[in-house]
């Protein structure tokens, strides 16, 4: 697996900027729309559970599970961006992930933040 399979986040020039900070240098918040989130629940298939169990006995990274988690987080983030866009936002501030087990059925990944409308400041 290449490094691109372990990454995530947005590509260049997104139409909805997503940041983990409470503000964006060079921009001002014109309007706060409110909380947005993207949610997905994934279950592991039997083959990956068996492989992970065997790998955990000898140690090392569980690459299949890592790749699945990256894909899951990406999907949750895409859903967050879709919700922000649908509500008229062009940015999401204070972006975070929350990951929990969902009733022994899988893993719940929630991407959340505050949808806002930001304006680029003029350079004086």
């Amino acid at each position: 697996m290449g490094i691109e399979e372990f990454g995530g986040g947005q590509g260049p020039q997104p139409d909805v900027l997503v940041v983990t900070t409470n503000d964006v240098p060079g921009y001002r918040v014109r309007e706060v729309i409110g909380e947005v989130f993207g949610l997905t629940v994934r279950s592991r298939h039997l083959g990956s559970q068996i492989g992970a169990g065997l790998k955990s006995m000898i140690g090392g990274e569980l690459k299949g599970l890592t790749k699945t988690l990256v894909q899951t987080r990406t999907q949750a983030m895409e859903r967050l961006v879709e919700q922000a866009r649908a509500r008229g936002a062009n940015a999401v501030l204070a972006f975070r992930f929350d990951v929990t087990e969902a009733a022994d059925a899988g893993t719940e990944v929630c991407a959340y933040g505050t949808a806002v409308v930001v304006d680029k400041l003029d350079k004086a």
Side-chain angles (χ1 to χ4, degrees):
M1 275 191 261
I3 190 68
E4 66 280 353
E5 294 180 274
F6 294 106
Q10 296 183 294
Q13 306 297 319
D15 65 323
V16 176
L17 180 64
V18 178
V19 297
T20 59
T21 56
N22 293 327
D23 54 16
V24 181
Y27 292 81
R28 74 171 179 88
V29 175
R30 177 171 27 110
E31 179 184 357
V32 174
I33 294 172
E35 180 185 30
V36 288
F37 65 91
L39 182 67
T40 185
V41 179
R42 294 274 177 104
S43 65
R44 291 181 285 192
H45 62 76
L46 184 58
S48 72
Q49 287 179 321
I50 292 170
L54 294 172
K55 184 74 171 186
S56 67
M57 288 185 217
I58 59 172
E61 181 181 8
L62 306 173
K63 290 186 179 183
L65 293 179
T66 300
K67 186 176 179 180
T68 299
L69 183 55
V70 168
Q71 292 168 342
T72 303
R73 289 174 68 141
T74 298
Q75 183 178 46
M77 186 173 181
E78 288 169 352
R79 290 178 177 176
L80 167 119
V81 169
E82 288 172 18
Q83 187 182 52
R85 186 183 299 117
R87 293 182 63 192
N90 66 355
V92 176
L93 304 179
F95 171 73
R96 302 286 187 271
F97 281 112
D98 186 41
V99 180
T100 57
E101 290 298 314
D104 294 329
T107 301
E108 172 191 326
V109 176
C110 181
Y112 64 95
T114 303
V116 298
V117 176
V118 294
D119 294 322
K120 192 166 183 98
L121 297 173
D122 292 328
K123 292 185 179 182

